């Protein structure tokens, strides 16, 4: 399991991404992520399927990188 610190980190990331992304994008590709914690300072994310993962990488990755800098 992941720590409460990791959980808080993910909550903060979600808040920032929600602020920056269009609602349909956020709801479809970000909200559905199953956060599994962090490993070697990388986020461990579980996607519903390959389509969701690909769409997230295409539409949300730049925002995610900005948020976690």
């Amino acid at each position: 399991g992941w720590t409460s610190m990791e959980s808080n980190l993910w909550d903060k990331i979600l808040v920032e991404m929600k602020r920056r992304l269009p609602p349909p994008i956020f709801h479809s590709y970000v909200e559905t992520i199953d956060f599994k914690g962090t490993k070697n300072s990388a986020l461990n994310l579980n996607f519903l399927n390959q389509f969701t993962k690909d769409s997230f990488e295409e539409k949300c990755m730049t925002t995610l990188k900005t948020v976690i800098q």
Side-chain angles (χ1 to χ4, degrees), residues 8-56:
N8 289 345
L9 168 71
W10 183 241
D11 287 342
K12 285 186 182 121
I13 290 170
L14 287 179
V15 167
E16 281 303 307
M17 291 191 74
K18 187 171 191 174
R19 214 163 53 83
R20 295 162 192 249
L21 291 167
I25 302 277
F26 180 82
H27 293 305
S28 300
Y29 308 125
V30 182
E31 243 179 11
T32 56
I33 292 172
D34 184 12
F35 175 66
K36 295 292 191 186
T38 56
K39 189 177 183 183
N40 306 328
S41 70
L43 296 171
N44 186 358
L45 308 177
N46 221 358
F47 294 87
L48 290 176
N49 50 44
Q50 192 60 45
F51 174 77
T52 311
K53 183 177 189 287
D54 292 344
S55 301
F56 177 87

